Amino acid sequence: MALFRLSSLCLLSVHKALETSSAALPCSPIPTSPAPTTNTTATGFNTSCIGGRRRRRRALVSKSGRGVRTVECRAAVVEDVDEEVLVPAEAEAEEAAEEYDWRQEWYPLYLTAQVPDDAPLGLTVFDKQVVLYRDGAGVLRCYEDRCPHRLAKLSEGQLVEGRLECLYHGWQFEGEGKCVKIPQLQEGGKIPRAACVRTYEVRNSQGVVWVWMSEKNPPNDEKLPWFEHYAKPGFQDTSTIHELPYDHSILLENLMDPAHVPISHDRTDWTAKREDAQPLVFTVTERSSRGFAGHWGRSKNPALMNFLRFQAPCVLSNDLEFVDKAGVKQYFSALFLCRPTGQGKSMLIVRFGASSRSPVFNLVPEWYFHQNACKVFEQDMGFLSSQNEVLVKERVPTKELYLNLRSSDTWVAEYRKWMDKVGHGMPYYFGHSSLSPPKQPAVVEQAPVGLVAGISASFPAKGGVGTQHAPNPANRYYRHVVHCKGCRSVVKTFQAWKQTLVLLSLAAVASAILASAQQWKVVLLASAALFLAGSSVCSFVVSLITTNFIRTHRRL
């Protein structure tokens, strides 16, 4: 049963890994620290309010014996409330900013297996544009995505005999960025030494391509993330990749928030249920400029604890270890690699791994796992995009806006406080007590929900209505399918089968009309019905893979 629950987790979304309760990791209940009581109203808030740092106010209405009275309160974490409920605004003394530079880090570029063999791939890290490709020897190369000739994007080019060619004028590059061909060069002329492109060091590690972004220091391989479970013999994983229309800090914050899963993803995977929403228990065991770590679990079952680790700048892992009935130690790991791709944009590599799987797992096609993960992201996408927009517009620290609860938001507060320590080394950031907003705010907005969105998502080849020549970041096809060889192949195969079955159905109907024997007419018409049913199944699969999830309770 435990193994079945482990394998069923891979049927869930990336968020469900933070809700996993597949097996017990022995652990003592972690008590919450007592806090002094305060005088509160019926709503649980103190009737006096702090006005020094408040950004916004809201009215809280409570009923008393003499009628209704209004209490003004700051919509953020305040110090004069029950500390057993809210995360304190200042959990510890202010610390000096620690040395940190976002460029001196490894960033996850892509799943190695998904890197195309026949075309360059344009990617970004914050505002830095790079191009990744395989040369003629299969070696991964990464350049600045800019031709030195006229600044055209090399990712718009093509591969010619293992060399990267700019499609503007045909300049070709290879190896360490050296230009080896200029078609317009006079006979006997030498290629200028300046005709080269800036290169970035990449590593292929445990199935993921990582890029070192420093412009002044050589790669620090000690900083390259290594995941012990994924190196174990027999450890199996299911991996997906997704583009998302909100900032990577919003993405990380969402992934380390297990409290939202029962509500946001109710019945998505047959295990997330809103009635299971409950207080959670957290304990922080590590804090540094490299991130933080600790245990968390449900208050109703505190012996079942997960171990979460955030590793700078963009790695989040949630692990579980246990001993099965046979006395064998089993491992489960949910790994999230979140790359910043610009303001209001991010790319996520998701990996679910386990030391063993139930045979039931092998009966489910991989594309089903992928579309289920897409569905979960779409369930979150609307409010995460709006959250991103509010942060950029308000331009204040999160403690002025968030109302963080001890029983649900501990990791969120830890993450924003980590940014307070190191945010000065980032292009922009929103910390718990400090911030450095982007100079030119840019938020990628969510596509409209409803009939138009449904129709738009049903045309994956063009990206949707009104976007025939540009990717639509709110469209599932461009957020996932274009990055997944498996899903692209399935869509292509089922579309071909659909067309074939439709033609066979038409041929069967025509043959039935021409047939003289009654029994042949019946057989041919029955065959036509079966062919049509088969084409409908093919359409359903294509739609399931490519069409955005839309909440049924939404009414426009």
Side-chain angles (χ1 to χ4, degrees):
M1 184 61 181
L3 294 182
F4 175 77
R5 290 296 299 276
L6 269 177
S7 60
S8 70
L9 283 169
C10 293
L11 286 169
L12 315 186
S13 66
V14 292
H15 304 291
K16 189 56 188 174
L18 293 178
E19 276 284 287
T20 180
S21 56
S22 306
L25 178 65
C27 183
S28 301
I30 302 171
T32 55
S33 57
T37 58
T38 58
N39 295 325
T40 59
T41 66
T43 58
F45 287 83
N46 192 292
T47 52
S48 61
C49 290
I50 296 177
R53 294 198 312 263
R54 59 188 161 201
R55 174 74 174 178
R56 285 179 170 235
R57 293 174 178 268
R58 65 179 177 179
L60 296 181
V61 180
S62 61
K63 295 184 179 180
S64 65
R66 297 183 178 180
V68 178
R69 57 194 177 91
T70 300
V71 181
E72 286 217 339
C73 191
R74 180 168 59 88
V77 178
V78 292
E79 292 82 350
D80 58 344
V81 295
D82 189 345
E83 293 185 2
E84 289 187 347
V85 175
L86 299 181
V87 176
E90 307 296 344
E92 63 245 359
E94 292 290 335
E95 298 182 14
E98 299 187 34
E99 288 297 322
Y100 184 81
D101 185 348
W102 72 270
R103 297 173 185 83
Q104 311 303 314
E105 301 284 359
W106 292 96
Y107 289 83
L109 272 184
Y110 222 63
L111 284 169
T112 308
Q114 301 299 337
V115 177
D117 297 317
D118 56 354
L121 184 64
L123 304 166
T124 59
V125 180
F126 279 116
D127 61 340
K128 302 294 184 181
Q129 297 179 333
V130 301
V131 56
L132 179 70
Y133 76 98
R134 294 183 188 273
D135 65 15
V139 177
L140 290 167
R141 304 287 184 179
C142 186
Y143 301 156
E144 182 179 23
D145 196 7
R146 187 170 70 184
C147 180
H149 177 215
R150 296 272 288 278
L151 311 183
K153 277 193 171 185
L154 292 173
S155 59
E156 295 288 337
Q158 63 183 350
L159 299 184
V160 179
E161 298 179 349
R163 298 186 297 270
L164 179 57
E165 180 183 82
C166 176
L167 272 181
Y168 197 2
H169 294 90
W171 290 28
Q172 294 182 2
F173 305 88
E174 67 178 10
E176 297 302 318
K178 180 182 178 181
C179 182
V180 294
K181 181 178 180 179
I182 299 179
Q184 297 80 15
L185 201 63
Q186 295 178 349
E187 185 176 354
K190 292 184 178 180
I191 296 176
R193 294 180 61 186
C196 59
V197 291
R198 166 167 167 62
T199 63
Y200 291 90
E201 289 280 350
V202 291
R203 298 284 187 273
N204 178 12
S205 177
Q206 296 182 293
V208 176
V209 181
W210 299 81
V211 62
W212 178 254
M213 293 305 299
S214 178
E215 299 176 356
K216 57 183 181 180
N217 294 323
N220 183 350
D221 286 334
E222 292 183 0
K223 284 188 173 182
L224 184 65
W226 178 259
F227 308 105
E228 182 181 355
H229 291 336
Y230 292 82
K232 289 181 175 17
F235 196 82
Q236 306 173 65
D237 73 280
T238 298
S239 302
T240 63
I241 187 167
H242 309 264
E243 282 191 86
L244 297 165
Y246 41 85
D247 189 77
H248 87 289
S249 67
I250 299 290
L251 172 60
L252 276 165
E253 182 183 281
N254 175 246
L255 292 170
M256 61 179 67
D257 172 25
H260 84 283
V261 175
I263 305 298
S264 300
H265 311 303
D266 179 34
R267 267 73 182 181
T268 297
D269 46 34
W270 305 289
T271 58
K273 300 176 182 178
R274 63 183 303 108
E275 56 266 27
D276 289 338
Q278 60 188 271
L280 303 175
V281 179
F282 301 88
T283 179
V284 181
T285 58
E286 301 175 33
R287 286 191 185 101
S288 72
S289 62
R290 302 300 302 162
F292 57 87
H295 295 89
W296 71 271
R298 299 177 180 180
S299 61
K300 294 181 181 179
N301 191 3
L304 205 69
M305 302 299 290
N306 297 262
F307 184 74
L308 179 141
R309 178 182 294 280
F310 165 66
Q311 182 179 348
C314 48
V315 175
L316 183 69
S317 61
N318 192 80
D319 297 326
L320 184 67
E321 299 180 5
F322 66 97
V323 177
D324 63 17
K325 293 181 180 180
V328 179
K329 196 169 187 178
Q330 302 288 356
Y331 307 92
F332 172 78
S333 176
L335 187 60
F336 310 105
L337 310 177
C338 311
R339 172 164 51 87
T341 59
Q343 296 176 41
K345 297 182 292 182
S346 57
M347 178 168 277
L348 171 65
I349 295 174
V350 186
R351 307 189 75 179
F352 285 121
S355 53
S356 62
R357 288 176 174 174
S358 166
V360 176
F361 184 92
N362 298 323
L363 300 177
V364 181
E366 190 174 64
W367 60 261
Y368 181 85
F369 299 142
H370 291 198
Q371 68 83 28
N372 198 64
C374 289
K375 180 193 298 184
V376 174
F377 284 122
E378 288 150 9
Q379 289 172 340
D380 286 345
M381 197 160 57
F383 49 76
L384 293 182
S385 296
S386 64
Q387 180 185 358
N388 199 153
E389 187 173 359
V390 170
L391 283 176
V392 172
K393 285 183 177 180
E394 294 287 342
R395 301 174 75 86
V396 295
T398 58
K399 75 174 183 180
E400 302 290 340
L401 298 169
Y402 290 6
L403 196 65
N404 287 327
L405 302 181
R406 286 181 181 272
S407 56
S408 63
D409 307 311
T410 295
W411 298 140
V412 173
E414 284 292 328
Y415 177 54
R416 295 299 175 180
K417 289 174 183 176
W418 172 79
M419 284 193 172
D420 287 337
K421 296 179 182 179
V422 305
H424 60 284
M426 296 181 179
Y428 58 89
Y429 79 99
F430 291 88
H432 179 71
S433 303
S434 60
L435 79 161
S436 178
K439 295 179 180 179
Q440 296 179 343
V443 177
V444 179
E445 294 184 355
Q446 159 88 340
V449 175
L451 180 61
V452 173
I455 296 174
S456 173
S458 67
F459 293 96
K462 297 297 182 182
V465 175
T467 57
Q468 294 186 356
H469 304 289
N472 180 354
N475 186 295
R476 182 183 292 189
Y477 185 86
Y478 281 104
R479 282 186 292 101
H480 170 68
V481 179
V482 294
H483 299 291
C484 180
K485 292 180 180 179
C487 288
R488 289 201 307 274
S489 176
V490 170
V491 168
K492 183 178 180 180
T493 299
F494 275 91
Q495 285 177 332
W497 271 108
K498 175 187 174 181
Q499 294 172 357
T500 300
L501 291 171
V502 169
L503 290 176
L504 289 174
S505 177
L506 292 174
V509 171
S511 299
I513 295 173
L514 297 175
S516 57
Q518 185 68 25
Q519 61 269 30
W520 279 110
K521 288 182 180 289
V522 173
V523 170
L524 290 170
L525 289 175
S527 299
L530 288 175
F531 292 144
L532 283 177
S535 69
S536 297
V537 171
C538 293
S539 295
F540 172 76
V541 173
V542 171
S543 177
L544 196 62
I545 296 174
T546 61
T547 303
N548 285 23
F549 167 84
I550 299 175
R551 292 192 187 276
T552 55
H553 71 268
R554 292 295 295 271
R555 296 290 183 270
L556 298 182

